[in-house]
Structure formats: C-alpha cells, structure tokens
Amino acid sequence: MKEKTKIDYTKPDITPEKSFDPFLESLMQFEKAANFLDLEPWIYKRLKYPEREITVHVTITLDNGHAESFTGFRVQHSTIRGPAKGGIRYSPDASLNECKALASWMTWKCAVVNIPFGGGKGAVICNPLKLSENELRKLTKEYTLAIRDLIGPFKDIPAPDMFTNEQTMAWIAEAYSQTQGYLEPAVVTGKPVYLGGSLGRKEATGTGLFFVLEEAAKYLKITLEGKKVAILGFGNVGSSIAKLVHKAGCRIIAVTDMFGGIYNEKGIDPIALAQYVVQTGSVTNFPDCDPIDNETLIALPCDILIPAAIEGQINKSNAAQVKAKIILEGANGPTTTEADEILNENQVFVLPDILANAGGVTVSYLEWVQDLQRYFFSEEEVLKKTETIMKQAFWDVVKIMTENKVSMREAAYILAVDRVAQALRALGRGV
Ligand code: NAD
C-alpha cells in the first residue's frame, strides 16, 4: 500500500479552466475523427456516448467508529471490440463526466494498440490520503460489491489509476472472487505478481511511453541524449518514465507533484527522488533544488515536457508558453483541444495520450491473457511483446499522419475510431 504521508491533501496549484469538461474534450476529439471518416450516422451515434454508466453509494465504518458514505462510478464506454477495460481512480475531484471521458479514451487507446478490449473507467470520490489502509480496504471491497454485476473477466476489467495500486487490485480480486466462490485473478489487472499479476506491469506505462519516445526520436531524426526534460506529476507514470529518460542520457530539470515542485538546471536524479518521495510523500524540498510550480514548469525552456498527472493541465492559458519541442502525454487528457491548436501552430510535436501511455493497458492485456491461461511469461517476454505492440502502433499512427497531413493526435483518433467502427459495422449491432 502507498505510504501514508503526513502531508494534508491540498488543492492542486493548477486547476483546469473553469469551463473544462473532460467529456466534452473527448467528444470534440472523437467528432474530428468521425467527420474525417464520414461515419454512418448509426455508427457515429453509437460510438459517441457510453454504453453504460452507473453511480453507486457505499457506506463503511471509519476507524473512529463513524459511518461514512462515498459515491463511486463505473462507466463502460464500449464493449464492441471486447470487454470494457480501464482503471479505477480515487480522488476528491472524481466525477461521472471525468469517468465518461476516461472510459472513452480507453476505447480509443485499446483500438490504437489493437488489443481486443473496449473502454471503461471507474472512480470513487474520496480523499485517499486521509483514509487509513483499513478504511481503503473496506471502501474498495464495498465499491467492488456495488459494481460486481458489471465487472468480470469477459465483461469489464478494472486496473489501477490515480491513487489506486496493486494492493487495491488485490482487494477487488478478493471481493469479486467471494461472489464467484473461487479466485478469479482475470477480473482485474495490475495485481501483485504473486497473485496473478504480470511481471513488468508496475512500470508498464512508463516503459510504453519510452518506446514511443524512442520511435519519435527516430522519426524526428534526433537523439535523446542530453535532452532537457520537465515532468508534471511524479506518481507511477511520472517516476517510471523519469527513470527511463534519465537512463537514456536525458537531463531531468524539473518535477512537480500535487504539493509543489523542484527545479535544478543541472539535473535531478529520479532514482534518489523516488526514494525521497517514499519517505516524505512529495518531491518538495528535495535537496539542491529550487521550488517551482506547474505553470512555470510548463513554460520552461526544455526539449521534452511530460504531463503525468491529471487532465486539462495544458490549456489555452498556458499552451503558447510551452517551449518544449516534444510533449509526451503520460497523463490521460492533459491537453485541451484549444491548447492542441496552439501547440500545432507552434509546431510542438505532441505524442498523444491514447498512443503514448498505452503501455499500461498493453501489459494489462498480457496480464489478462496470462491469468486466463494460468500460464505466465518472463519479464523479457512481456517487454518484447509490449515493445512490438507499441512500436507497431506508433508507425501505424505516423502513416495516417503523413498520408493525411494531420496531427499525431488526429491520426491516432482516426486509426482508433476507424477500427472500432469497422468492428461495429461487421457486427451490425444497432443498424
Ligand atoms: P499516481 O497517483 O501514481 O500519481 C499521480 C501524480 O500526479 C502524483 O505525483 C500526484 O502528486 C500528481 N498530481 C496530482 N495532481 C497534480 C497537480 N494538480 N499538479 C501536479 N501534480 C499533480 O497516478 P498515475 O498512475 O501515475 O497516473 C497519472 C496519470 O497517468 C493519470 O492521468 C492516469 O490516468 C494516467 N495513466 C496512468 C496509467 C497507469 O498505468 N497508472 C496508465 C495510463 C495513463
């Protein structure tokens, strides 16, 4: 379980624009691709909205003896290409619309990397940093029981997201398995390895980001060595990609998290920083660094900017200030549509979330395959398969981008929406 920190949860120092609605953002991205593909109206309408969305209220007894109720969601955007797949997030800011957006991004992401899943997402509105491990366990089990009829290895397979981790997944597996009468590891991915998890899953999103960055460097004819990197968010995704770019010879000059940030032009060691975060709960006050906030980090002169926290952080108010040549989207939906247009005009090369951060779901797919067979791959096999899938997806997207003179994001959406539409057309469901 994540170390419980002494730091109180404070509101992030950057809040998305007031009008920011992640579901609207996801719809605008879908619309562009749907127009480009000239989709039949019945396919367009079917893919626009989630297939299913549920709100649940669960009650647990806190350690102090008081009862507390929590609201949670599970959204299945699509099950056309396979079971819904997507993480569960614990956050005070979680909402149904955020889940709808994240679920649809999962549909497109799974289609970009061509794995047989649809898209889903779940969340519980809570402050995970203020709950004890015991309270989190009870909350997770109650939430799982509340959504048990929706999930299952062939229906909907949750995974970790912000403030959930392999322990959370083990609790979900346990709660679901109790309803079945036998252990069903394939109901969730991102579990501990000794419980049917896959080797390489923990770092998978970072690993996938790095494969995409390596291919982008080849496409752009640049080397990664010596490049200056700024990372916004230093959790699972931010810390994993930090270690890989550092290993490749990049210089990490700034990192922020929800409590603040650090800056050192000479470079920050991500391995030492990750150890420091385990001890203190935040990157703030890491030795030999100056403080920095998100807005300053976004505007830093650097080569690669990696958003790895929440949605909407690169928006119309700060996009023009971006000096990085490459944005590698670790987070889901970190760039708004308006910001995208500004970045395109300024020729910033954006590696879009639905391609760039698909390493996590790709290894989740491999975990699911292993669980169903009860037969497990070596870490080397997992890495090799992930590399093949991610690199193939990168060049599939590049092909559409260059042939149609569209941005990388538009190309990724065109590829994804086309694949889902093709499947739907063949199934003939809803025509
Ligand atoms: P995490 O909970 O491990 O870490 C989140 C990090 O973001 C923390 O360092 C937190 O302090 C920071 N953060 C939160 N709000 C912030 C703010 N306003 N400003 C700066 N930092 C802030 O979560 P994670 O699993 O690393 O996920 C991060 C992002 O990556 C999310 O958008 C998630 O949906 C996406 N993602 C995660 C995975 C995965 O496998 N975990 C896969 C694909 C995409």
Side-chain angles (χ1 to χ4, degrees), residues 2 12-14 89 102 109 121 160-164 201 205 232-238 256-259 294 308-311 313 330-332 357-358 360-361:
K2 203 165 273 183
D13 68 343
I14 182 168
R89 171 176 291 199
L102 290 162
K109 192 182 300 184
K121 206 79 182 190
D161 194 76
M162 285 180 67
F163 291 106
T164 55
R201 174 60 183 90
T205 306
L232 199 157
F234 198 73
N236 175 308
V237 177
T256 52
D257 65 19
M258 66 204 290
F259 307 108
N294 283 333
I310 53 169
E311 304 92 64
Q313 288 166 318
N332 287 310
N357 72 33
V361 75

Side-chain angles (χ1 to χ4, degrees), residues 217-231:
K218 283 184 208 157
Y219 172 74
L220 297 169
K221 299 192 175 50
I222 57 165
T223 52
L224 291 178
E225 193 155 4
K227 294 285 179 287
K228 290 202 274 182
V229 179
I231 305 177

Side-chain angles (χ1 to χ4, degrees), residues 170-189:
W171 291 328
I172 296 177
E174 159 65 8
Y176 179 80
S177 297
Q178 286 287 338
T179 68
Q180 304 298 300
Y182 56 89
L183 179 70
E184 182 44 271
V187 67
V188 275
T189 58

Side-chain angles (χ1 to χ4, degrees), residues 57-62 66-70 138-139 142-143:
H57 304 284
V58 298
T59 304
I60 62 164
T61 306
L62 300 176
H66 291 144
E68 185 74 79
S69 291
F70 296 87
K138 287 191 201 172
L139 177 60
E142 287 305 315
Y143 168 71

